[in-house]
Tab-separated table of all heavy atoms in Angstrom:
chain	number	residue	atom	x	y	z
A	127	LEU	N	50.556	46.562	-22.562
A	127	LEU	CA	50.065	47.603	-21.673
A	127	LEU	C	49.342	48.659	-22.497
A	127	LEU	O	49.888	49.168	-23.485
A	127	LEU	CB	51.219	48.257	-20.911
A	127	LEU	CG	52.094	47.341	-20.051
A	127	LEU	CD1	53.201	48.171	-19.393
A	127	LEU	CD2	51.274	46.606	-19.010
A	128	ASP	N	48.121	48.983	-22.095
A	128	ASP	CA	47.374	50.063	-22.729
A	128	ASP	C	47.799	51.398	-22.125
A	128	ASP	O	48.218	51.469	-20.960
A	128	ASP	CB	45.875	49.868	-22.535
A	128	ASP	CG	45.355	48.649	-23.268
A	128	ASP	OD1	45.599	48.531	-24.480
A	128	ASP	OD2	44.710	47.803	-22.615
A	129	ILE	N	47.677	52.458	-22.900
A	129	ILE	CA	48.120	53.786	-22.482
A	129	ILE	C	46.922	54.715	-22.375
A	129	ILE	O	46.118	54.826	-23.314
A	129	ILE	CB	49.138	54.354	-23.486
A	129	ILE	CG1	50.377	53.477	-23.516
A	129	ILE	CG2	49.510	55.795	-23.129
A	129	ILE	CD1	51.302	53.761	-24.686
A	130	LEU	N	46.815	55.369	-21.228
A	130	LEU	CA	45.830	56.421	-21.026
A	130	LEU	C	46.559	57.740	-20.806
A	130	LEU	O	47.583	57.778	-20.131
A	130	LEU	CB	44.956	56.117	-19.809
A	130	LEU	CG	44.113	54.843	-19.860
A	130	LEU	CD1	43.379	54.649	-18.538
A	130	LEU	CD2	43.124	54.886	-21.018
A	131	HIS	N	46.016	58.803	-21.357
A	131	HIS	CA	46.558	60.149	-21.135
A	131	HIS	C	45.706	60.808	-20.058
A	131	HIS	O	44.508	61.035	-20.248
A	131	HIS	CB	46.504	60.952	-22.440
A	131	HIS	CG	46.978	62.359	-22.298
A	131	HIS	ND1	46.390	63.406	-22.969
A	131	HIS	CD2	47.990	62.903	-21.571
A	131	HIS	CE1	47.019	64.529	-22.657
A	131	HIS	NE2	47.979	64.251	-21.807
A	132	VAL	N	46.333	61.084	-18.903
A	132	VAL	CA	45.613	61.687	-17.783
A	132	VAL	C	46.383	62.924	-17.334
A	132	VAL	O	47.187	62.883	-16.404
A	132	VAL	CB	45.439	60.687	-16.617
A	132	VAL	CG1	44.567	61.298	-15.524
A	132	VAL	CG2	44.810	59.385	-17.105
A	133	PRO	N	46.176	64.054	-18.001
A	133	PRO	CA	46.901	65.283	-17.665
A	133	PRO	C	46.313	65.977	-16.441
A	133	PRO	O	45.288	65.560	-15.897
A	133	PRO	CB	46.711	66.140	-18.913
A	133	PRO	CG	45.377	65.692	-19.451
A	133	PRO	CD	45.272	64.225	-19.145
A	134	GLY	N	46.988	67.039	-16.030
A	134	GLY	CA	46.554	67.813	-14.876
A	134	GLY	C	47.687	67.993	-13.891
A	134	GLY	O	47.961	69.093	-13.427
A	135	HIS	N	48.375	66.885	-13.557
A	135	HIS	CA	49.604	66.972	-12.770
A	135	HIS	C	50.721	67.500	-13.662
A	135	HIS	O	51.448	68.410	-13.289
A	135	HIS	CB	49.949	65.592	-12.204
A	135	HIS	CG	51.203	65.550	-11.377
A	135	HIS	ND1	51.319	66.180	-10.168
A	135	HIS	CD2	52.396	64.930	-11.602
A	135	HIS	CE1	52.537	65.958	-9.668
A	135	HIS	NE2	53.198	65.211	-10.527
A	136	THR	N	50.850	66.901	-14.831
A	136	THR	CA	51.668	67.448	-15.922
A	136	THR	C	50.867	67.305	-17.210
A	136	THR	O	49.952	66.489	-17.287
A	136	THR	CB	53.023	66.717	-16.082
A	136	THR	OG1	52.779	65.373	-16.546
A	136	THR	CG2	53.811	66.702	-14.783
A	137	PRO	N	51.217	68.082	-18.249
A	137	PRO	CA	50.415	68.041	-19.479
A	137	PRO	C	50.471	66.711	-20.219
A	137	PRO	O	49.505	66.344	-20.892
A	137	PRO	CB	51.034	69.158	-20.334
A	137	PRO	CG	51.744	70.051	-19.378
A	137	PRO	CD	52.226	69.172	-18.275
A	138	GLY	N	51.599	66.002	-20.115
A	138	GLY	CA	51.754	64.772	-20.890
A	138	GLY	C	51.705	63.509	-20.065
A	138	GLY	O	52.211	62.467	-20.493
A	139	HIS	N	51.100	63.560	-18.880
A	139	HIS	CA	51.106	62.426	-17.960
A	139	HIS	C	50.345	61.231	-18.533
A	139	HIS	O	49.242	61.360	-19.042
A	139	HIS	CB	50.479	62.834	-16.625
A	139	HIS	CG	50.812	61.918	-15.492
A	139	HIS	ND1	50.498	60.577	-15.491
A	139	HIS	CD2	51.452	62.147	-14.311
A	139	HIS	CE1	50.918	60.029	-14.361
A	139	HIS	NE2	51.497	60.962	-13.633
Side-chain angles (χ1 to χ4, degrees):
L127 302 179
D128 293 307
I129 297 167
L130 298 176
H131 177 218
V132 186
H135 180 67
T136 68
H139 198 300

